[in-house]
Amino acid sequence: MSSQIKNCFASQESLQSEKNKSIELTPNSINFSVSPEGEEFPLPESDEYAEEFKRVKDLVDKAREEGKEIVVVMGVGFVGAVMAAIIADTKDENGNYSKFVIGCQRPSTRSYWKIPLLNRGQSPVKSEDKEVDEIIKRCVLETKTLVATYTNECLKLADVVVVDIQCDYVKCELGNVRTGEADMAALEASMKIIGENICPDCLVLIETTVAPGTTEFVALPLLKKAFQKRGINSTPLLAHSFERVMPGRDYVASVRDFWRVCAGCTDEARVKVEKFLSEVINTKDYPLTIMDRPIESETAKIVENSYRATILAFLNEWSLFSERNGVDLIKVINAIKMRPTHSNIIFPGPGIGGYCLPKDGGLGYWSYKHILGFEDGDEVFKITPTAIDVNDTRALHVAELTRDALRNMGHYIAGADVLVCGASYRQDVGDTRYSGSEIVVRKLTEMGAEMRVHDPYVDHWYEMENQDTYPASGQSWKRFFRNQDGLAELKIESDFSTAINDIEALILAVPHKEYLNFEPETIVKMAGGPIAVIDCFGMLSDEDIRRYFELGCEVKALGRGHIQQIKKEVQKRKLQQNS
């Protein structure tokens, strides 16, 4: 890796400037926030805030008369929007709705559109789970237990504040997580605002995945300082309970019907968070685990995801071993899975993706030095950073296989028309965050290929379309590669027959169900002739591989070294037929 690995410390000043912009929680001079569908929403003016607070307070006053607890959810993104709806859908033992929820989102050009959408009863989160749309529509329009706003003054009305503000980990080099840093600016700014507004007996629950120690050693001091400025002598009621959201067809269930871990900074906070979570999620069937301190809850999430990332990275070396020694790792894994103790072993594909696994271990490594104050992090943390680095760069090998397959057919990668099947990070979902496919596309683009992408679950690939500003200015993976500007014009092809027409290489990057039963004859016919086929997930059967070779194609695959033997068998048979 050469051109794709660049150190970004030289631009730290500009990065910090962008962070400061990203945490601004007051109106700005740009007039519109544009939704993913292109609808423009005017940003609120300063003189609208008082009326907006009055609107929300009137709704809260009515809810209090009905005996409802008031909950503010800070941040209505991937986690917050669904969590807000689940809380708003909560009923007491008598079957009455017991919570009134205010979803609060800062009025920035990037995020404000979520507020008017929610107030229409529309989900700002796209999901394959139909219940997401249903529960939000029901709570906003029917039960009227959920409302959204942009004014932070709503915090004054809260009995409970649930914090779902993003805490990212910014990597300064691709393949070197150790040089990254936790971006806690938005979370820190939110904690200050919460401390300046909430009542002393309000419970603050951090759901965000954070660096271990954040709740006790960053958030709590910020809340205490804000309380002291207001003349409040009591200790803030602060707790942590991480979410385990899984995008896909069970999105709501992964929040409501799943095991939770929690901890409070004080005994009173612990009691309150236990009571609150027991009311809003299904702790009867999925018991709540209560830890002694928030740092234990925080560490549980980091270890949980680091473990998963590590066992996936572990298979990378065996994937390379298999490719080079004629072994089919897919068959090896299936044989191992027969043993019950190893039934969860998973082939990693071109990268692990998703929001959590690629970064969470980095939060632990960073915390050890910058929050907890230890200087021997590189000696202590050897496996976790290595696993993240392996997973982040595994997709580069897919680009190499594509190049080699085309070369074997007498083609060059530069100028080749390449179709990637799957932009999301896992099968049958539309979540593209940190997908391995993004690295594949960026590396092949750097090598000069002409890229096309098809994904039945993705309408817009924002990491490409908005690569100069998404996920934030200066944080796109674009910065690790050259020749990337044209990817802003890359669109997801909706029609597969159009996408595949006249291509030279087909990359099966994600095992969506729509891709599992491709017929080699049909694929070659649709493509207009023999092509290079690269299998990233063990999607092709031996018979499929054999048939592609018979049709004049070239086949490469991650972890499937036996392919060369199949190729030789086909070539031998053709020679015998021609002799």
Side-chain angles (χ1 to χ4, degrees):
M1 297 170 288
S2 55
S3 60
Q4 75 269 19
I5 297 181
K6 301 177 183 178
N7 197 297
C8 72
F9 282 124
S11 60
Q12 283 290 70
E13 184 175 341
S14 61
L15 178 61
Q16 186 59 46
S17 174
E18 292 297 337
K19 286 182 189 177
N20 293 337
K21 291 178 185 177
S22 72
I23 64 172
E24 182 181 328
L25 297 171
T26 56
N28 56 44
S29 59
I30 302 176
N31 296 324
F32 292 95
S33 175
V34 183
S35 74
E37 287 70 35
E39 186 175 0
E40 293 185 345
F41 296 95
L43 296 183
E45 302 289 342
S46 299
D47 57 5
E48 296 180 61
Y49 277 65
E51 184 63 29
E52 172 67 4
F53 178 67
K54 182 180 183 302
R55 178 185 76 89
V56 174
K57 186 176 184 303
D58 288 344
L59 294 172
V60 167
D61 289 343
K62 180 181 178 182
R64 286 203 186 282
E65 290 176 3
E66 297 169 350
K68 293 184 174 69
E69 185 175 48
I70 310 304
V71 182
V72 172
V73 176
M74 294 289 286
V76 287
F78 280 94
V79 178
V82 177
M83 184 64 180
I86 288 171
I87 298 170
D89 205 41
T90 300
K91 294 181 180 180
D92 60 22
E93 62 274 10
N94 297 317
N96 300 315
Y97 289 99
S98 59
K99 315 288 184 190
F100 181 79
V101 181
I102 305 166
C104 186
Q105 184 70 43
R106 67 190 182 91
S108 67
T109 54
R110 179 180 169 185
S111 302
Y112 172 71
W113 58 269
K114 299 174 186 177
I115 298 303
L117 246 65
L118 268 173
N119 283 329
R120 290 179 186 170
Q122 295 178 235
S123 172
V125 178
K126 181 181 177 182
S127 174
E128 292 72 36
D129 186 352
K130 294 180 179 179
E131 193 175 359
V132 170
D133 291 333
E134 293 170 357
I135 192 172
I136 288 176
K137 180 180 179 180
R138 179 171 67 249
C139 292
V140 173
L141 301 181
E142 298 175 20
T143 65
K144 300 186 184 300
T145 52
L146 174 60
V147 69
T149 188
Y150 54 84
T151 175
N152 296 319
E153 280 197 283
C154 67
L155 291 164
K156 298 175 181 178
L157 310 172
D159 299 309
V160 178
V161 174
V162 178
V163 181
D164 281 313
I165 302 295
Q166 182 170 291
C167 179
D168 212 338
Y169 189 81
V170 181
K171 296 171 183 175
C172 291
E173 297 176 79
L174 181 64
N176 188 359
V177 71
R178 297 174 189 273
T179 60
E181 61 172 315
D183 181 2
M184 298 200 299
L187 181 65
E188 291 175 346
S190 297
M191 298 312 298
K192 291 177 183 177
I193 290 170
I194 291 169
E196 292 166 356
N197 285 277
I198 60 171
C199 296
D201 60 350
C202 175
L203 172 67
V204 179
L205 169 59
I206 297 176
E207 277 198 322
T208 307
T209 299
V210 294
T214 297
T215 301
E216 293 171 81
F217 307 132
V218 178
L220 184 59
L222 289 172
L223 290 178
K224 283 182 175 179
K225 188 173 183 179
F227 270 26
Q228 290 169 359
K229 287 184 177 180
R230 296 168 58 192
I232 301 172
N233 296 321
S234 60
T235 300
L237 300 177
L238 180 63
H240 179 265
S241 176
F242 62 87
E243 43 74 25
R244 284 169 166 152
V245 172
M246 180 60 70
R249 300 189 185 280
D250 298 314
Y251 203 125
V252 173
S254 72
V255 179
R256 181 188 58 209
D257 302 308
F258 215 68
W259 294 271
R260 276 288 189 117
V261 177
C262 72
C265 289
T266 62
D267 290 342
E268 186 178 356
R270 179 189 59 76
V271 171
K272 280 205 167 190
V273 72
E274 182 181 0
K275 177 178 181 296
F276 176 73
L277 291 175
S278 296
E279 291 170 350
V280 302
I281 62 176
N282 182 8
T283 57
K284 179 181 178 181
D285 297 318
Y286 303 90
L288 190 63
T289 299
I290 302 168
M291 311 295 275
D292 294 331
R293 294 176 58 195
I295 192 172
E296 293 176 331
S297 173
E298 295 163 336
T299 302
K301 179 62 180 289
I302 301 302
V303 172
E304 180 176 300
N305 284 342
S306 296
Y307 166 75
R308 191 68 163 169
T310 299
I311 61 173
L312 288 166
F314 159 75
L315 282 176
N316 178 69
E317 58 197 49
W318 289 106
S319 180
L320 295 173
F321 169 89
S322 298
E323 289 174 35
R324 296 167 184 175
N325 291 282
V327 174
D328 184 358
L329 187 60
I330 299 300
K331 295 188 182 79
V332 170
I333 288 174
N334 289 336
I336 294 171
K337 289 172 72 171
M338 296 299 292
R339 180 177 179 175
T341 56
H342 291 59
S343 61
N344 67 342
I345 188 171
I346 297 176
F347 185 76
I352 56 175
Y355 183 65
C356 295
L357 268 62
K359 71 169 178 63
D360 284 1
L363 289 172
Y365 172 84
W366 183 88
S367 165
Y368 186 74
K369 179 177 181 179
H370 295 286
I371 294 180
L372 304 173
F374 293 93
E375 295 297 330
D376 60 343
D378 288 338
E379 296 178 21
V380 172
F381 288 95
K382 297 183 183 298
I383 295 175
T384 298
T386 300
I388 294 174
D389 295 344
V390 167
N391 290 328
D392 280 354
T393 56
R394 176 167 166 77
L396 298 174
H397 184 45
V398 177
E400 294 172 345
L401 292 178
T402 307
R403 175 203 62 203
D404 294 346
L406 285 168
R407 181 183 293 164
N408 289 350
M409 298 182 72
H411 297 192
Y412 293 105
I413 190 68
D417 290 298
V418 180
L419 171 61
V420 173
C421 285
S424 64
Y425 83 90
R426 64 188 292 260
Q427 66 270 29
D428 303 335
V429 304
D431 193 339
T432 59
R433 291 176 296 173
Y434 301 109
S435 74
S437 297
E438 180 180 350
I439 296 294
V440 173
V441 170
R442 291 197 180 281
K443 183 58 181 176
L444 287 173
T445 297
E446 181 179 80
M447 296 166 71
E450 299 291 334
M451 301 305 301
R452 307 179 196 177
V453 181
H454 177 269
D455 194 307
Y457 298 90
V458 178
D459 295 325
H460 295 277
W461 200 351
Y462 297 111
E463 286 85 354
M464 300 297 185
E465 294 180 25
N466 301 327
Q467 62 181 357
D468 291 327
T469 58
Y470 188 88
S473 295
Q475 293 185 24
S476 168
W477 271 349
K478 170 187 175 182
R479 69 193 190 276
F480 299 132
F481 300 86
R482 54 175 290 278
N483 193 33
Q484 301 293 295
D485 289 343
L487 288 177
E489 305 302 320
L490 183 68
K491 306 298 181 186
I492 300 290
E493 298 281 357
S494 58
D495 181 64
F496 182 74
S497 61
T498 300
I500 196 174
N501 183 51
D502 206 28
I503 64 168
E504 295 170 68
L506 174 68
I507 301 175
L508 301 173
V510 184
H512 292 320
K513 63 178 183 292
E514 288 82 355
Y515 302 150
L516 297 180
N517 296 309
F518 280 166
E519 293 286 344
E521 288 86 355
T522 302
I523 293 297
V524 172
K525 182 178 180 180
M526 294 176 75
I531 57 175
V533 180
I534 294 83
D535 180 7
C536 298
F537 256 107
M539 298 162 63
L540 299 178
S541 67
D542 286 1
E543 184 54 39
D544 288 335
I545 295 168
R546 184 174 293 105
R547 188 62 185 134
Y548 274 119
F549 280 127
E550 291 172 348
L551 293 168
C553 298
E554 179 69 20
V555 183
K556 296 283 185 181
L558 291 175
R560 310 195 74 187
H562 76 304
I563 284 178
Q564 291 308 306
Q565 183 59 39
I566 295 176
K567 181 179 180 179
K568 290 178 182 178
E569 292 172 0
V570 171
Q571 291 174 334
K572 181 179 180 180
R573 189 179 307 116
K574 284 184 177 180
L575 286 173
Q576 291 173 342
Q577 291 172 349
N578 294 331
S579 61

